Amino acid sequence: MQLMLPDYHIHTALCRHAEGEVGDYRSAAGTKGLEEICFTDHAPNPDGYDPRHRMRLEQFPLYRDAVAAIRGEEAPRVLFGVEADYYEGCERFLDSWLPVQGFDFVLGSVHFIDGWGFDNPEERHIWDSVDIAATWRKYFEVIMRLVETRLFDAVGHMDLPKKFGHRPPDKDLKEMAQPVLDRMAEVGMGMELNTSGLRKPVGEIYPSPLIVSLARERGIPICFGSDAHSPSDVGADFALALSLAREAGYTDYFRIRQRKKERVPLPRVY
Ligand SMILES: [Zn+2]
Ligand SMILES: [Zn+2]
């Protein structure tokens, strides 16, 4: 039987900007033949960080228990994860909170640069008044700090600033991304191939073929995520993500349990 790629990036209605309960996502995954999914709803941040797009800390047990309630032996298997943002000072909460939740997977993301929600459609106009290359440079500096915390298992949507189509020339991008990718390889950090960019103005998987190739050269392990905010998104466009990985020279990807990665061969076709 053909192995299907697991979807390691799924949100739920608890984060206030997604629809569907965990059972709806698991059913959708079953219908599509996925064998494994991981819920990665946005982590609560009791320090007041971006409260509009996440559950409150006191809601977290609802999330934990809902995921636990649908875990079973039969496919699709369900993993328990979280998408946690890196931001200045996040360690004050995450250092002690993340390790004791029993997560299988902690996806690390950056959604803000100096307080600007650069991927938020409501703040898109700000792109018109910033220097694009300088903005990307700052973004990669924040990603570097994310990597250095060693709190996360993989970087989510690594080139998210391209969401609305703003990006530096490849030459500059390469020069900015390389030191971060070097460090990711050194510390064993994974990278997510995230298909949600195909549903956004840029119309492209995160990250771009250039970055996936640079990651491949360094042996950085990859996983796949739809960034589903609706059950119909589960596993979306994974055939294209598989092609992207293969074209960059990847022959394997990682699965994870209790934050331990295991490399498995990529499926041949999808
Ligand atoms: Zn979200
Ligand atoms: Zn995200």
Side-chain angles (χ1 to χ4, degrees), residues 9 11 15 17-18 41-42 53 83 111 227-229:
H9 194 156
H11 294 279
C15 71
H17 61 276
D41 216 345
H42 298 278
H53 297 102
E83 178 181 14
H111 294 105
D227 211 340
H229 283 74

Side-chain angles (χ1 to χ4, degrees), residues 9 11 42 83 85 107 109-111 119 156-157 160 192 194 227 229:
H9 194 156
H11 294 279
H42 298 278
E83 178 181 14
D85 277 49
L107 185 60
S109 298
V110 170
H111 294 105
D119 77 317
H157 41 63
L160 183 62
E192 175 205 33
N194 179 311
D227 211 340
H229 283 74

Side-chain angles (χ1 to χ4, degrees), residues 85-148:
D85 277 49
Y86 172 81
Y87 54 94
E88 188 76 47
C90 69
E91 296 98 323
R92 280 194 287 274
F93 172 63
L94 294 179
D95 263 348
S96 56
W97 185 78
L98 277 178
V100 296
Q101 304 307 325
F103 289 126
D104 288 305
F105 182 43
V106 177
L107 185 60
S109 298
V110 170
H111 294 105
F112 287 84
I113 299 168
D114 295 341
W116 166 36
F118 61 87
D119 77 317
N120 183 341
E122 292 167 26
E123 301 183 46
R124 175 181 177 164
H125 59 275
I126 295 172
W127 278 105
D128 299 335
S129 58
V130 297
D131 179 308
I132 291 172
T135 300
W136 277 79
R137 203 168 291 282
K138 267 193 218 161
Y139 172 79
F140 278 115
E141 285 167 14
V142 184
I143 293 284
M144 185 67 116
R145 293 202 287 275
L146 178 162
V147 174
E148 293 296 359

